[in-house]
């Protein structure tokens, strides 16, 4: 590929015209996950981790992180639904799918795609801590600090993004765009606007 190649050219043809900009290309995501996995390996040396992926957005982060870790790690998933409008969360959260495993006494790393207001994660962390794990930390690929409503300890952060709606690499709009390898912004027409 020549240096002047348009990053949009790598997207599936069916989605290309709806994408405004490639915000975080796939190579940058992979490089960041290399760095975060190495950090986690150092922090959890001689321990065993349970990765808790938050469905559905975190599927690729969990898969790509899990493959990079040297420390022994297991994977489980939770699905939560947040009451609120399509674009803002209320902090009232319902657990749609709970963990299959007990976490008492275990080292848990919650893996998120994006933390926006933080209300969903705040609820999730309180819920998980009540199960008496040995430790709970959070990794989020993306964070929107300007939108935060609660102060949350996010131990491992991939990228800070501005207050824009992003899709791709697990993140959807109405279940579309999750499978894109890059994190992108959409043209207003893609929202039906
Ligand atoms: P919070 O409770 O932190 O406000 O909401 C977090 C959830 O909102 C995320 O897990 C994600 O589902 C959704 N969300 C927040 N910002 C974005 C965004 O830019 N793009 C997408 N696709 N979802 C987002």
């Amino acid at each position: 590929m020549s240096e002047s190649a348009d990053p949009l050219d790598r997207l599936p043809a069916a989605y290309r015209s709806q994408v405004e900009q490639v915000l975080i290309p796939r190579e940058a995501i992979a490089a960041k996950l290399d760095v975060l996995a190495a950090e986690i390996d150092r922090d959890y040396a001689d321990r065993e981790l349970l990765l808790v992926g938050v469905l559905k957005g975190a599927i690729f982060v969990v898969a790509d992180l899990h493959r990079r870790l040297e420390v022994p790690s297991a994977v489980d998933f939770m699905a939560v639904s947040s009451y609120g409008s399509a674009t803002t969360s209320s902090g009232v959260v319902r657990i749609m799918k709970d963990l299959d495993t007990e976490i008492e006494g275990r080292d848990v790393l919650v893996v998120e795609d994006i933390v926006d207001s933080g209300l969903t994660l705040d609820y999730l962390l309180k819920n998980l801590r009540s199960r008496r794990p040995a430790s709970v930390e959070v990794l989020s690929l993306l964070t929107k600090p300007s939108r935060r409503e609660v102060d949350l300890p996010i131990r491992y952060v991939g990228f800070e993004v501005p207050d824009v709606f992003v899709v791709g690499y697990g993140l959807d709009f109405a279940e579309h765009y999750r499978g894109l390898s890059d994190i992108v912004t959409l043209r207003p027409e893609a929202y039906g606007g």
Side-chain angles (χ1 to χ4, degrees):
M1 196 185 292
S2 77
E3 275 181 36
S4 60
D6 186 340
L8 297 186
D9 287 346
R10 298 197 294 177
L11 299 172
Y15 286 133
R16 206 172 295 151
S17 64
Q18 295 143 51
V19 171
E20 189 169 65
Q21 191 199 347
V22 174
L23 204 62
I24 309 174
R26 59 198 76 176
E27 294 80 6
I29 298 172
K32 184 66 75 172
L33 289 176
D34 284 343
V35 171
L36 292 177
E39 214 176 303
I40 292 167
D41 280 335
R42 279 197 304 276
D43 293 348
Y44 289 88
D46 305 319
R47 284 147 82 187
E48 260 188 56
L49 254 185
L50 176 67
L51 304 178
V52 171
V54 184
L55 294 172
K56 300 176 191 171
I59 50 175
F60 298 123
V61 196
V62 170
D64 288 344
L65 179 72
H66 194 34
R67 284 186 290 195
R68 283 169 163 80
L69 291 177
E70 298 271 342
V71 288
S73 55
V75 176
D76 204 343
F77 290 97
M78 280 180 90
V80 294
S81 99
S82 171
Y83 293 99
S85 72
T87 50
T88 54
S89 91
S90 63
V92 182
V93 175
R94 189 155 52 124
I95 294 179
M96 310 300 287
K97 184 221 167 292
D98 206 345
L99 297 172
D100 295 331
T101 40
E102 303 283 335
I103 61 168
E104 185 169 353
R106 301 183 71 179
D107 289 310
V108 173
L109 179 63
V110 177
V111 180
E112 275 276 17
D113 48 357
I114 188 163
V115 181
D116 187 30
S117 72
L119 293 169
T120 308
L121 182 60
D122 188 47
Y123 170 88
L124 200 60
L125 288 176
K126 285 183 179 134
N127 181 291
L128 291 174
R129 286 195 190 110
S130 73
R131 305 181 199 195
R132 303 160 57 89
S135 67
V136 186
E137 300 290 350
V138 179
L139 177 149
S140 186
L141 181 67
L142 305 177
T143 176
K144 285 183 186 169
S146 64
R147 300 256 308 167
R148 199 74 91 249
E149 290 178 34
V150 277
D151 194 23
L152 286 173
I154 306 181
R155 175 91 172 251
Y156 309 98
V157 174
F159 303 92
E160 289 191 0
V161 290
D163 185 10
V164 290
F165 192 78
V166 294
V167 296
Y169 198 73
L171 288 152
D172 76 310
F173 175 66
E175 293 301 325
H176 283 285
Y177 313 107
R178 276 194 211 283
L180 299 182
S181 298
D182 312 297
I183 289 168
V184 307
T185 56
L186 295 175
R187 291 178 187 277
E189 307 89 86
Y191 301 104

